[in-house]
Structures are given as C-alpha cells and as structure tokens.
Amino acid sequence: MSKTAKIIYNDKTYELPLVEGSEQEHAIDISSLRDKTGLITLDSGYKNSGATLSKITFLDGELGILRYRGYPIEQLAEKSSFLEVAHLLIYGELPTTEQFSNFTTGITRHSLIHEDMKRFYEAYPKKAHPMSILASMLCSLSTFYSDSLTPKLSPEALATTIHRLIAKTSTIAAWAYKNSLGHPVMYPQNKFNYCENFLHMMFAMPTEDYEVDPVVVDALDKLLILHADHEQNCSASTVRMVGSSHANLYASISAGVLALWGPRHGGANQEVIQMLEAIKADGGDYKKWLAKAKDKNDPFLLMGFGHRVYKNFDPRATIIKKACDQVLKKLGVNDPILEIAKGLEEEALKDSYFVERKLYPNVDFYSGIIYRAIGIPTDMFTVMFALGRLPGWIAQWKEMMENKEPIARPRQIYTGAVTRDYVPAKQREKGKVLVA
Ligand code: ACO
C-alpha cells in the first residue's frame, strides 16, 4: 500500500504523505503543498476536504454506518440515554455510575437561567423564530458568566460551562415557546430527568397538573440521541471554525445554532412538515410534487430527501421511521400526513431521478412527524435538533481546542477585477471612464 501520493506539476514530481484513519479512510496530507508548489486546492463546499483528524464520530455514507466513539447508533438509540451519550461524545467514554451521577447532577443544578435573562423575552416579538431567540440567548449567557470567557478553561470551569450549556439550552428553548404563547414560563424541577424536565417546561401550566408521558419521554430521548453528532457537518464545522479564533464556548455554540437554522441543514425538518401540509392541502397528490422536485426550472426540492454524505440510506432515518410508527400507535395519533410521507417515500425510491442521484430520506423526513405527534410546534423543530446536537458541538469544540488546531482560514482563487485606478464620482458619471 502506497504511503505517498504524487503530484506532477510543471514537469516536476512532488510527493505528499497519505494519512490513514482507524477505519482505513485515506487522505492526502496537503499541508506542505503551497510551500512546495505554490498551488492551493479548490473544493467548493469542502466536498473532498478533510478539515481535521477526529476521534468523535465515524460515518460511512455509502454503507449507511454511523458510530459515536465506536458505538453503533442503533445500539445507542436502543439501549442508552441522551445524557449518557452526551458524556460519551464530550469525554470519549460511556460514564461509570459515579461519573454519570456527577454529570447529571451538574446539569440538573444549572437548569435555572438568570432572572434578568427572563426579561429579554419581553422584548422579542411574539412571532420571533425560536432559533433566533435560542442563538441570542446562548450568546447572552456569556455576559452572565464572564468567568468562562477565556477559551482555555480549567477542567473544572469547563465542566461547569458544559453543565450550564446543556441545562440552560433546554430552559431557554422551552421558555421561548411559552413566551410565543404569552403563557407564564414553567421553572425547571430537579425531580425530573432531562427529557421529563423539558416536556414539563414546554407543556405544563400553573393552573393544572401535568403528567409526563413515558412514551413521549422515550421518543424524545431517542430523537436527541440520533441528532447528537454527525462529524464535520455545516454547524459542527462552524462551531470549530468560530472556536478556532478562540472565541468562547457560548459564542461558538451560538454560531452553530445559526448555521443549523438554514433549510439545507437543520431547518429542513420544519420544511418537511410544511411541504407535507402543502401536499395535503393540494389534495394529497404527491406524484405531482415529485414531478415538481424533478423539474430543473422549479426551485422546489423534496425536503427531507438527499444528504451530502449518505448516498445509500441514512441509518438515523431507518430508526426514526420505526420509532415514528411506534409513537403514533402508542399515542393513538392518526396523522394523515404520515400516509403522504410514506407514499412520497415509496414513489421516490422507485423513481429513476432519485435513484440515479442517490437521494434517500434523511433524518429530518420522519422526525417532524414525531415532534408533531408529541405536541411540539413546527417552528420549534429545528430547536429540538439543536438540543440534540449540543453535546456534539461541545465535543467538536473541545477536541479542536485539545488538538491545538490553528485558526481556520481558508484561501481562495480570486476571480474579480484586476488592478485599476480610482476615479472620483463626478468623472465617472460624466462617462469619462468606461467600465474596466
Ligand atoms: N429534491 C430534488 N432534487 C434533489 C434534492 C431534493 N431534495 N437533493 C438533491 N437533489 C438533486 C440536485 O438538484 C442535483 O441534481 P443535478 O445533479 O441534476 O444537478 C443532485 O440531486 C445532487 O444534489 P446536490 O445539491 O449536489 O447535493 P448536495 O450533497 O450538495 O446537497 C442537500 C445535499 C443539501 C442535503 C440536498 O440534498 C438538499 O437540499 N436536500 C433537501 C434539504 C434537506 O432535506 N436537508 C437536510 C439534510 S440532513 C441534515 O442536515 C440533518
């Protein structure tokens, strides 16, 4: 097996080392390329560029494999819990009983947010999108915890910041929902576990008793596990990139939330439901909508289909589809858009346009249907994704800091105007100067 790759340029041969990962993935290490040859590489969207060496998540898009720290996602989704997975991602190992108790206690004890932050909600319009509230509030946490602003935190200060982030994100998210309804916020309660607490803050009212449904808790926990990390995706790369400037952890996570918001990334789960609703309102003729998705003159895409990395199937979608059926059955929900979703999937999977382009349902295709069934409003779907992805972002930031990675600063090939002289406006307007 070759240990180097050769580049021939201007009749000279340059050897570049190969790097091998623990799952036999190979990369050409081009870190010396510019020094040796004066060349850079060009890779729009980083489709072929590895940005880092990482020990957190392995995925194989061709085989539909996803593992966190070596553990298959199927096993974690079935047997583990969200906070156990959070510990695994952030610290590299599943926790011992004592480590888990310290971790969960630390999170439980930091779930309140500063009372002054509660006042921030009053200033947001009622229709404010909860993703923008979440990002702003997370960044605002840095104004309250100035002790955690330096990037190189002691292990104790880092642990506290991690506890604060995991705990308070759930409170901030639930309160954003309560605020949008004009309802009083519900304070977190230490007797609940993480998912129970979130559901309590979302759906309980001071006027009546609220019982958390264990079926809903299980489904939510599974969804959060499935979303917990996905290696160097758009939002994780954003967190690493912002963090590489040594911006603090709150700022880096807030940037990750904003990257997730876009419909090509985490925002797709909201768009899937809106699309399915539109198909239902249009009489349920999903074949017509498939034709729209295939029409290159129509900007419409089949939301929840396609993935940058998975070109066979998304293992998370397989687990979610099964969970979706179970939850709806157990809750006795008969959602007509589930039938539309299934019909759409069946039709697309035998359509040559989708088959040739390897477009399969992704994690977002069915997650929205579960969220809907458990009462989460559509514009909170991407917030739910952010809750799940938070441990992954923290793990990615922590690894980037521990690796002492340099500030991320890509290069470019400039294609704009070549040098030209400045001419004052009056002369330009007189038409004395032609466009260069
Ligand atoms: N519907 C119809 N056609 C599609 C779709 C879709 N959902 N996705 C891709 N295509 C087509 C493209 O038009 C392109 O066709 P062409 O080769 O004829 O030009 C081809 O498939 C390849 O698509 P790319 O855009 O090159 O694929 P890329 O890897 O860059 O994009 C992405 C992946 C962004 C996920 C894309 O498939 C998409 O926009 N999907 C819909 C949004 C979505 O579900 N996003 C969630 C992703 S999962 C996540 O972030 C958790």
Side-chain angles (χ1 to χ4, degrees), residues 47 263-266 268 293-294 296 300-308 311 316 353-354 357 359 362-364 385 389:
K47 291 191 180 194
R264 285 163 145 198
H265 191 12
K294 294 191 292 184
K296 292 289 167 202
F300 173 74
L301 291 179
L302 202 55
M303 298 314 289
F305 260 73
H307 197 277
R308 169 56 60 80
K311 300 297 177 194
R316 302 166 302 170
Y353 174 95
F354 291 90
R357 289 170 179 77
L359 300 169
N362 59 48
V363 67
D364 287 328
F385 192 157
R389 185 54 56 86

Side-chain angles (χ1 to χ4, degrees), residues 412-420 435-436:
Q412 64 164 20
I413 296 294
Y414 176 68
T415 58
V418 294
T419 184
R420 46 184 170 166
V435 176

